[in-house]
Amino acid sequence: MGYELRVVRQAPIAFADLAKAIVPAGFELDESYGIVARHGGAAHVVGRWREQVVGEPGSDWQLAQLVRLAAVLGARLVGEDGESYAVRDGVVEVWTGGSAMEIGKFDEIIEAGPAAWTA
């Protein structure tokens, strides 16, 4: 299992409400409660429903999709170590200990697609 990110809301969201909220934003649900985004005609799981939305991104694209998903749900994207991820002025950022680090421009990351991170 990789590094888990959680979509955290002030009030929990029911599965039915999740489904209603994500479809207009272009996300889909698969039969195993995966939340799917498409790129280049292919479906890619970016998160899963486990009484809350969680994801284990393997690319900047998946991370950006999780940030977008959190925004659609009126939530925050939070990592295991308490850091938070957001888009500010078109840039995906991670906030840790009161300081921000830029990951990249949101539009460029989304356009580049889900190329996996390399070690």
Side-chain angles (χ1 to χ4, degrees):
M1 186 150 133
Y3 191 78
E4 187 174 273
L5 302 178
R6 299 173 318 281
V7 174
V8 178
R9 288 174 36 101
Q10 198 162 6
I13 188 167
F15 181 75
D17 294 329
L18 169 80
K20 285 185 224 173
I22 67 170
V23 170
F27 292 101
E28 303 168 16
L29 286 168
D30 70 17
E31 63 280 348
S32 64
Y33 298 105
I35 300 168
V36 174
R38 294 192 169 272
H39 186 273
H44 303 274
V45 175
V46 297
R48 297 212 175 281
W49 170 255
R50 296 187 204 144
E51 301 304 316
Q52 68 176 12
V53 177
V54 296
E56 294 178 23
S59 69
D60 286 349
W61 183 86
Q62 288 175 316
L63 175 63
Q65 291 290 359
L66 282 167
V67 170
R68 187 171 75 88
L69 178 61
V72 165
L73 297 174
R76 297 179 308 121
L77 184 63
V78 179
E80 291 177 7
D81 296 326
E83 76 281 8
S84 61
Y85 300 81
V87 174
R88 185 173 60 131
D89 298 329
V91 176
V92 179
E93 298 178 330
V94 57
W95 285 82
T96 303
S99 61
M101 182 180 86
E102 291 186 2
I103 294 171
K105 292 182 180 178
F106 179 84
D107 291 341
E108 291 175 2
I109 292 170
I110 294 299
E111 185 177 312
W117 290 319
T118 56

